[in-house]
């Protein structure tokens, strides 16, 4: 209905003003109007899809790397495979929290780092925003990646990796590579409910033996129970 009205207006303009400038103005108005209508449709469609499919994406798998060869300099990297559940995804929001000094920058080999929204509440994750160079459409899969090279020579950061599993995920792999350690005690896997009552803490869930040959902890889990924070901690 709206498009028909716009076309009628454009026809009248073209009849009244037969010179080229008027025609180009009319065509420009038509294109702008159609773009506005399309944008409105996408907004409504996105809202509907996100409301009915638990967010704008489904995470299929997640790979986390925490690597330090000397105990002071850390490479932290996250790679995710997601399936888009909105009409078009332009920006991917991911939660993270670094416990040490933050005098470093987040980078990505696949996306553009749009920004970082920090939260003063220590219990809340910060939000890293990654912009897609070629935005994926509904039901397409996409790889998401971000990383940081961190100087932690003051050892201010805590020695754990924490994950928030809101919705079902097929596979999670966490690789904690400690090139400076020959031997170490088992790492501890704990979890707590995301919406736990005040005071509800982590409870031991599993342990991971230290691989002294490869000098790492490797944790792999298939379809972990959702609705939990999972934390893997070890001694420095």
């Amino acid at each position: 209905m709206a498009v028909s009205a716009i076309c009628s207006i454009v026809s009248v303009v073209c009849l009244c003003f037969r010179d080229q400038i008027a025609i180009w103005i009319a065509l420009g108005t038509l294109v702008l109007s159609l773009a506005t209508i399309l944008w409105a449709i996408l907004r409504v469609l996105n809202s509907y899809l996100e409301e009915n499919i638990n967010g704008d994406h489904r995470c299929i798998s997640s790979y986390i790397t925490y690597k330090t060869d000397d105990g002071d300099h850390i490479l932290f990297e996250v790679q995710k495979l997601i399936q888009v559940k909105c009409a078009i995804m332009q920006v991917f929001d991911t939660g993270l929290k670094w416990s040490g000094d933050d005098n470093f920058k987040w980078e990505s080999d696949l996306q553009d780092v749009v920004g970082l929204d920090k939260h003063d509440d220590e219990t809340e994750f910060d939000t890293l925003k990654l912009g897609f160079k070629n935005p994926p459409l509904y039901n397409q899969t996409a790889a998401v990646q971000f990383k940081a090279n961190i100087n932690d020579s003051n050892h201010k950061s805590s020695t754990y990796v924490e994950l928030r599993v809101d919705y079902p995920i097929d596979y999670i792999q966490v690789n904690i590579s400690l090139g400076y350690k020959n031997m170490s005690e088992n790492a501890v896997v704990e979890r707590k409910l995301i919406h736990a009552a005040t005071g509800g803490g982590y409870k031991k869930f599993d342990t991971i033996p230290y691989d002294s040959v490869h000098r790492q902890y490797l944790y792999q889990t298939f379809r972990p129970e959702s609705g939990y924070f999972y934390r893997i901690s070890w001694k420095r």
Side-chain angles (χ1 to χ4, degrees):
M1 192 76 175
V3 175
S4 300
I6 293 168
C7 290
S8 299
I9 293 170
V10 171
S11 299
V12 171
V13 171
C14 289
L15 288 172
C16 295
F17 304 97
R18 296 184 177 275
D19 59 280
Q20 274 194 330
I21 294 177
I23 292 174
W24 280 114
I25 291 174
L27 289 175
T29 302
L30 176 61
V31 171
L32 182 61
S33 300
L34 291 175
T36 302
I37 293 170
L38 179 61
W39 177 75
I41 292 172
L42 285 175
R43 279 193 62 188
V44 172
L45 183 58
N46 267 343
S47 299
Y48 172 79
L49 290 172
E50 290 179 21
E51 184 178 345
N52 289 276
I53 315 180
N54 294 326
D56 60 3
H57 73 280
R58 172 180 175 263
C59 192
I60 299 171
S61 60
S62 185
Y63 301 84
I64 300 171
T65 299
Y66 177 108
K67 180 179 180 181
T68 176
D69 292 328
D70 58 8
D72 296 333
H73 300 86
I74 301 166
L75 168 65
F76 184 78
E77 182 176 7
V78 176
Q79 299 177 14
K80 294 176 179 286
L81 180 64
I82 66 168
Q83 184 178 34
V84 176
K85 291 300 179 183
C86 58
I88 180 170
M89 177 174 283
Q90 295 180 319
V91 176
F92 179 82
D93 292 347
T94 184
L96 54 86
K97 195 75 171 181
W98 179 252
S99 56
D101 290 333
D102 59 359
N103 54 346
F104 61 89
K105 66 176 183 178
W106 294 103
E107 302 173 333
S108 176
D109 296 321
L110 296 177
Q111 285 81 36
D112 296 319
V113 178
V114 178
L116 176 66
D117 294 339
K118 303 201 71 174
H119 301 283
D120 294 330
D121 188 347
E122 291 298 320
T123 63
E124 291 289 332
F125 281 16
D126 297 333
T127 303
L128 183 68
K129 296 180 176 294
L130 302 171
F132 284 96
K133 297 173 182 177
N134 296 300
L137 306 178
Y138 177 75
N139 247 16
Q140 288 184 337
T141 55
V144 176
Q145 180 261 2
F146 61 94
K147 63 182 178 180
N149 287 286
I150 304 164
N151 185 338
D152 190 46
S153 54
N154 60 7
H155 294 177
K156 187 176 178 180
S157 71
S158 302
T159 53
Y160 65 77
V161 171
E162 188 174 55
L163 304 86
R164 176 175 175 142
V165 181
D166 289 274
Y167 305 114
I169 180 173
D170 290 341
Y171 178 70
I172 294 175
Q173 176 178 297
V174 181
N175 185 295
I176 301 163
S177 177
L178 308 174
Y180 66 97
K181 298 190 75 168
N182 292 318
M183 298 294 292
S184 186
E185 300 177 15
N186 288 353
V188 177
V189 184
E190 302 169 292
R191 73 177 187 178
K192 73 172 182 179
L193 286 168
I194 292 174
H195 303 295
T198 303
Y202 282 89
K203 294 183 179 179
K204 187 175 178 180
F205 178 68
D206 200 356
T207 59
I208 313 168
Y210 186 67
D211 181 349
S212 58
V213 175
H214 300 97
R215 299 189 180 187
Q216 67 178 13
Y217 295 107
L218 182 63
Y219 183 68
Q220 302 177 87
T221 180
F222 294 89
R223 297 186 177 89
E225 189 174 356
S226 57
Y228 285 89
F229 286 107
Y230 291 84
R231 175 183 288 181
I232 302 170
S233 57
W234 66 94
K235 289 188 177 181
R236 196 184 302 276

